Amino acid sequence: MKKAIYKSAMMLLILMFGLAPVLVSGQDEGTGTSKATSSYDKHFFLQASGGISQFYGDVNEYYMYNKRVNGFYGVGAGYQFSPVIGLRGVFNNGWVVSTYEEKDLRMSSSLWDGQLHLTASLSNLIFGYKPERFLNFYAFAGGGMATFSSVLYKNSNEETLDRFGPQAPAPFDQKAHTEFVIPAGLGLNIRLAEKWDLNLEFNHRTMFVDDLDILESNDKNDAYSTLMLGVTYKFKPSANLKSMEKNYGLVKYETTPDPLVRVGDTVCVNVKVTFPEKYFAKKAAMNFQPEIKYAGTSYKLKPVNFQGEDVNGDGIVINYKNGGSYTYVDCIPYQPGMNVSDLVVSPTLYEPKEPVSLNAKPEDIKGKYRVIDLPERKLADGVIITGSKIYHDEDLILADHGYEKETIIKENATIYFQVNLHDLNLNLPLNRNNQVQKKLDDLAAFIKKGYTIRDIDINAWASPEGEESFNQGLSERRAHTARKHLLDMIKKMAKDKKEPFIIEKPDETLKFNLYANGEDWNGFMQAIEASNIADKNIIKNVVNSHPDVAKREQEIRNMSVVYKEIEDEILPPLRRAVIQVNCFQPKKSDEQIATLATSNPSELDNKELLYAATLTDDNATKLRIYKAATTQFPNDWKGFNNAAYYELLDNQLGEAASHLNKADQLEPNNKAVVFNLGALASKKNDFKGAAAQYAKAKTLGADINYNLGLTQIAAGKYDQALNLMGGRKCNTNVGLAQIMTGKFSEAAGTLKCATETAHNYYLMAVAGARNGDIRMIVENLTKAIEKDPSLKAQAAEDREFIKFFNNAEFMNLVK
């Protein structure tokens, strides 16, 4: 691992050194540059660094590198005489380690060294001095002394073979060794600030002895090197405020975007300030604090302070000779009225007597120093608020009424048969014991109610001890017996002199579904399981072990002899036919339900009343019906939720909130209610609250994508909004998100087929403005104003159209 780290670091250093000439020679363009003849300030400097070490010697398995690296740190101080030549002294401490696996050796040495270097800036030597240069490639060489203590180990078992130094026990040498070293190396300076540099430096020390690793040879002196990253602080040494005031017009401001744009609830300002050469005095400072002026008031942004080269503090340092630039960034909350505003700045010049604070305010400065207020300059127009023009068409969830237009009610009776017979014998003990006649009478009474009979199901079975084909036919004959008996019952009802009940031609008009189910193996196995037969598991295993039906039937016959319970209790109830009459439950007609819902809703049950709302296309009538449901059935959440649904559509937000809160109390954590609470928050422009409700609704199974997309538009996350809402076609809010992401052609197509509202036409005009299409602007603004005349005044001051404020067609439209 250490080997890989060291090799990577070396390759990075080589790459940077190789690119340095290209980079340093390619920095002539842009602000903050100077000519080769620029003056140079001599200065002292301090350094601190840390990094890794590498050893070269006898205990070194590889020629170019050693697999073992260790830490090193150092401090230094020096003086820079010129842009090229400098002198410095450094003091370093750390460890070098090395392993020679083939010889089973490992050494470790603690090192202190002091060095004196002559440094040379190769970048300034070759390409000329440029104080704003970002990269500076340099070389150094010199002399020094190193003091070290070393230990030589046997690598396999950590056995100490030899050592010297203050920590060495007897009989080892207990003195550290001190030797002369020749350091030389290369470095790369990265300019962080006026007085701070970042240094990446390779320093190779050659020794004239061979005892650093204790192992001595006749042809190989020891050496070690370090690769260290550090920082340098430079002690570098005019406040001509009147000159700065006079030449203030040369200072350039470039604001992006212009006009300013509201994104979410925020307006962000980005101003690039460029100072020309020989403008910013070395002992001067400037307070810079933009403000947005609107509706007779203003909103001040954060202040920043620029300072000359000789001024102390944490302000932004501007070079006198070469000038410089700074990009000012601040974000503020949008305030109503900022859509018609100006971003301006009136800087203050002063000569500080104490360190400058980066964010010192103008009032603090004016209380301490003599100041010069520079004239106000406009930086940008503000503020475009198109991103907040969300069309409130949130999805809503209507609770299901639960009403069935067609409900089937059923009544049934079972009749039993003797073994191998299909004739009906109501005197059969099984029929008497099960009160079959009473159930047949109940079935007759059910039919007499006169409900419309949908159909009649007859299911017949045989017990499984007989032959399969015979039993199949037997079950079919039993089904027909049951059918005949039911028809006889119906005909008998028609002959009742007291209460005749007549079904015309029942054998032709009634629909019978006859199911001959053959042998009832499932019934047999269930009966065995429910019985008290001691060997019931044996019986089940015997049956299940014979896939052949004939063999199973024979086993049943055999077991019937052994187990009397099978013959007497298990098999007889399986010989049966079940008659089930399926009738339509009588219901009110849709016309009756619709009339009662508005005239006498108390005549309807809850489901009927909720269903009634679906029988009209008039939203006001729907809302009236749902409100009736909240009064008539105050413990059912559905009426409250559905009333809120139509109140939200009609923007009756207060009433909707009341109804939804009641629904939430009655049915906490209901998907529809929680989702609609999110839509309520969205319509109130509380998009953060809406997003929280949608997140909860999602866990309950709601599809929240479209509504969540609206919250993303409100937050200025337009790409995320499109990902969520992209499936919607011809949608106003999708078109809005496309406008805000620069997809103007797509937006025009989306909005063109969307609902023809004033809102939609206005957004199409905005898309035209961003495309520079005056025809598209005029055509769609005309339609928007026809539908909503108040949009004329809005368009007249909307910064989306600022480039067309002098266009005759546009002005004639909005004046």
Side-chain angles (χ1 to χ4, degrees):
M1 182 65 182
K2 291 184 177 180
K3 170 183 173 181
I5 294 172
Y6 189 81
K7 290 178 70 177
S8 299
M10 290 295 293
M11 291 178 67
L12 175 62
L13 181 61
I14 293 169
L15 178 62
M16 293 180 71
F17 286 163
L19 291 176
V22 178
L23 292 171
V24 297
S25 63
Q27 298 180 71
D28 294 333
E29 297 182 359
T31 59
T33 62
S34 63
K35 299 177 181 179
T37 57
S38 298
S39 62
Y40 181 80
D41 292 325
K42 301 176 183 180
H43 59 275
F44 289 97
F45 59 88
L46 293 177
Q47 293 180 318
S49 58
I52 57 175
S53 65
Q54 173 75 97
F55 170 76
Y56 307 90
D58 299 298
V59 186
N60 189 351
E61 187 174 358
Y62 299 92
Y63 178 74
M64 292 301 296
Y65 64 90
N66 194 315
K67 290 195 297 183
R68 298 295 295 268
V69 297
N70 222 307
F72 237 77
Y73 66 92
V75 294
Y79 187 81
Q80 193 69 30
F81 296 96
S82 72
V84 176
I85 302 300
L87 184 68
R88 70 174 182 181
V90 296
F91 184 72
N92 300 300
N93 174 242
W95 290 81
V96 294
V97 294
S98 182
T99 300
Y100 202 150
E101 293 180 358
E102 184 176 327
K103 294 184 178 181
D104 196 21
L105 295 176
R106 180 168 62 87
M107 87 82 172
S108 177
S109 181
S110 173
L111 270 165
W112 298 81
D113 66 26
Q115 305 170 38
L116 187 65
H117 300 158
L118 188 66
T119 64
S121 170
L122 303 182
S123 300
N124 290 337
L125 178 64
I126 298 171
F127 303 106
Y129 170 59
K130 291 181 175 60
E132 300 298 323
R133 179 176 283 126
F134 178 65
L135 298 177
N136 180 27
F137 186 42
Y138 64 93
F140 62 89
M145 299 297 293
T147 298
F148 49 93
S149 301
S150 302
V151 183
L152 183 66
Y153 300 95
K154 191 172 183 180
N155 191 43
S156 59
N157 59 11
E158 300 292 320
E159 177 187 349
T160 300
L161 300 176
D162 200 357
R163 69 181 297 174
F164 60 82
Q167 303 298 322
F172 297 112
D173 183 359
Q174 296 180 341
K175 291 184 180 180
H177 291 195
T178 300
E179 299 292 346
F180 183 77
V181 295
I182 297 178
L186 299 171
L188 186 64
N189 254 13
I190 303 172
R191 187 177 186 274
L192 300 179
E194 181 69 14
K195 295 185 179 183
W196 289 95
D197 289 346
L198 186 69
N199 311 97
L200 183 62
E201 184 174 292
F202 178 78
N203 186 344
H204 186 79
R205 289 83 142 178
T206 302
M207 307 180 75
F208 294 95
V209 295
D210 190 22
D211 63 348
L212 179 60
D213 58 1
I214 305 181
L215 245 120
E216 295 185 2
S217 65
N218 295 326
D219 59 348
K220 192 172 186 180
N221 289 335
D222 292 333
Y224 65 96
S225 61
T226 55
L227 179 65
M228 301 175 75
L229 185 67
V231 293
T232 298
Y233 180 78
K234 296 169 284 188
F235 295 90
K236 284 192 173 182
S238 156
N240 192 345
L241 302 184
K242 288 292 183 181
S243 174
M244 292 179 67
E245 179 185 21
K246 179 181 178 182
N247 295 307
Y248 175 53
L250 299 176
V251 177
K252 296 180 181 179
Y253 298 122
E254 182 181 351
T255 306
T256 307
D258 182 11
L260 303 176
V261 177
R262 175 184 177 179
V263 179
D265 293 327
T266 303
V267 178
C268 287
V269 174
N270 186 308
V271 183
K272 183 179 181 182
V273 186
T274 303
F275 297 99
E277 296 178 358
K278 297 182 180 179
Y279 172 79
F280 212 104
K282 293 185 177 183
K283 294 184 179 181
M286 175 189 287
N287 177 271
F288 178 88
Q289 185 178 31
E291 60 181 317
I292 295 180
K293 289 187 173 182
Y294 65 102
T297 185
S298 69
Y299 191 105
K300 293 184 182 296
L301 283 69
K302 71 177 181 182
V304 296
N305 285 267
F306 301 104
Q307 64 187 56
E309 299 170 64
D310 291 347
V311 175
N312 293 324
D314 59 2
I316 296 97
V317 177
I318 304 300
N319 183 270
Y320 171 72
K321 288 285 186 180
N322 307 290
S325 64
Y326 172 77
T327 300
Y328 171 94
V329 178
D330 192 20
C331 295
I332 63 171
Y334 176 80
Q335 304 294 327
M338 283 186 178
N339 57 304
V340 183
S341 61
D342 291 324
L343 177 69
V344 300
V345 69
S346 178
T348 298
L349 298 176
Y350 62 101
E351 183 178 358
K353 303 301 181 183
E354 57 187 50
V356 169
S357 172
L358 174 63
N359 301 121
K361 298 178 180 179
E363 51 267 31
D364 298 332
I365 294 166
K366 291 179 180 180
K368 294 181 181 179
Y369 310 116
R370 179 180 66 88
V371 302
I372 296 177
D373 291 323
L374 297 175
E376 181 177 285
R377 284 170 63 177
K378 182 177 176 179
L379 302 178
D381 287 288
V383 172
I384 287 175
I385 60 170
T386 301
S388 65
K389 294 184 183 296
I390 294 171
Y391 185 63
H392 286 291
D393 63 346
E394 289 86 351
D395 286 343
L396 301 168
I397 297 180
L398 194 69
D400 192 306
H401 49 72
Y403 177 77
E404 294 178 338
K405 290 192 67 174
E406 185 180 278
T407 301
I408 303 301
I409 53 177
K410 307 170 183 178
E411 188 70 31
N412 62 65
T414 302
I415 56 178
Y416 299 92
F417 299 88
Q418 282 186 293
V419 61
N420 294 334
L421 297 178
H422 65 274
D423 298 328
L424 178 60
N425 181 3
L426 292 177
N427 290 319
L428 192 69
L430 201 59
N431 284 331
R432 292 199 308 272
N433 293 341
N434 288 282
Q435 297 184 308
V436 168
Q437 186 58 59
K438 181 181 183 304
K439 292 182 179 178
L440 289 171
D441 292 342
D442 291 341
L443 183 61
F446 177 71
I447 295 172
K448 282 184 177 181
K449 290 181 179 180
Y451 300 158
T452 301
I453 297 174
R454 185 190 70 179
D455 56 8
I456 299 167
D457 294 328
I458 297 179
N459 281 276
W461 289 269
S463 56
E465 78 276 18
E467 193 271 325
E468 181 181 15
S469 61
F470 174 80
N471 282 337
Q472 182 64 40
L474 181 61
S475 67
E476 184 176 349
R477 292 190 293 275
R478 287 172 176 172
H480 282 282
T481 297
R483 177 181 183 275
K484 181 179 181 303
H485 184 71
L486 182 62
L487 288 172
D488 290 344
M489 287 172 54
I490 293 172
K491 292 173 183 178
K492 184 179 179 180
M493 284 186 262
K495 296 178 181 179
D496 188 339
K497 293 182 180 180
K498 292 183 178 179
E499 295 181 272
F501 180 80
I502 300 174
I503 298 176
E504 296 292 341
K505 298 181 180 180
D507 52 344
E508 297 179 12
T509 58
L510 295 179
K511 180 184 178 183
F512 284 89
N513 304 311
L514 303 185
Y515 302 99
N517 298 306
E519 299 173 340
D520 189 4
W521 283 105
N522 289 335
F524 175 79
M525 296 300 284
Q526 291 170 5
I528 290 293
E529 179 63 34
S531 72
N532 294 320
I533 299 175
D535 296 330
K536 61 183 177 182
N537 288 332
I538 296 175
I539 296 171
K540 290 192 295 181
N541 289 336
V542 169
V543 172
N544 291 329
S545 65
H546 292 286
D548 183 79
V549 176
K551 291 183 178 180
R552 276 192 286 168
E553 292 167 345
Q554 183 60 47
E555 289 297 336
I556 294 289
R557 290 191 289 271
N558 294 339
M559 288 187 290
S560 297
V561 176
V562 178
Y563 300 103
K564 194 64 176 172
E565 295 97 324
I566 293 178
E567 178 63 30
D568 295 341
E569 300 176 11
I570 301 298
L571 296 176
L574 304 179
R575 304 158 189 154
R576 70 198 189 281
V578 178
I579 305 169
Q580 179 173 290
V581 178
N582 305 308
C583 296
F584 292 105
Q585 185 183 45
K587 290 179 180 286
K588 302 177 182 70
S589 68
D590 284 358
E591 292 76 12
Q592 290 173 315
I593 291 174
T595 300
L596 289 171
T598 55
S599 62
N600 191 7
S602 62
E603 290 295 314
L604 301 176
D605 65 25
N606 194 15
K607 291 181 179 179
E608 289 173 327
L609 188 54
L610 293 175
Y611 172 65
T614 69
L615 301 176
T616 176
D617 294 327
D618 182 61
N619 285 355
T621 303
K622 290 176 184 286
L623 179 55
R624 179 183 169 191
I625 293 171
Y626 286 131
K627 283 185 174 180
T630 66
T631 302
Q632 192 167 323
F633 304 100
N635 294 320
D636 188 347
W637 68 274
K638 290 185 177 182
F640 294 95
N641 178 81
N642 290 4
Y645 180 103
Y646 286 97
E647 287 163 342
L648 288 171
L649 288 181
D650 197 36
N651 210 36
Q652 300 176 39
L653 303 187
E655 294 86 344
S658 177
H659 282 135
L660 283 176
N661 288 333
K662 182 62 177 178
D664 194 39
Q665 292 174 13
L666 293 171
E667 187 80 3
N669 298 319
N670 179 275
K671 174 180 73 174
V673 177
V674 173
F675 184 83
N676 290 341
L677 282 169
L680 171 65
S682 179
K683 287 179 179 290
K684 290 181 175 181
N685 293 320
D686 176 14
F687 294 102
K688 291 182 180 178
Q693 292 286 4
Y694 295 147
K696 183 178 179 182
K698 183 178 182 180
T699 66
L700 299 171
D703 179 1
I704 67 169
N705 282 359
Y706 180 75
N707 284 14
L708 188 63
L710 301 188
T711 70
Q712 297 303 293
I713 292 177
K717 299 177 180 178
Y718 307 113
D719 287 321
Q720 293 92 320
L722 285 175
N723 288 336
L724 289 165
M725 305 188 305
R728 299 288 177 102
K729 306 298 181 185
C730 301
N731 179 273
T732 298
N733 289 313
V734 172
L736 171 59
Q738 289 170 334
I739 288 174
M740 299 309 294
T741 52
K743 301 172 182 176
F744 306 131
S745 297
E746 291 182 33
T750 299
L751 295 169
K752 187 173 183 179
C753 63
T755 305
E756 295 181 354
T757 63
H759 190 110
N760 197 70
Y761 283 127
Y762 193 93
L763 288 180
M764 289 183 70
V766 169
R770 295 202 177 191
N771 254 338
D773 187 340
I774 185 62
R775 182 198 59 79
M776 187 173 177
I777 295 172
V778 172
E779 178 183 332
N780 288 285
L781 265 186
T782 300
K783 293 178 181 178
I785 293 170
E786 286 175 356
K787 288 182 173 290
D788 183 357
S790 69
L791 293 177
K792 177 182 288 190
Q794 185 180 134
E797 58 187 18
D798 192 339
R799 270 40 184 173
E800 285 282 8
F801 306 112
I802 195 169
K803 294 180 181 178
F804 303 92
F805 280 2
N806 293 323
N807 180 279
E809 287 186 88
F810 178 83
M811 293 308 297
N812 288 335
L813 183 62
V814 300
K815 67 180 180 180

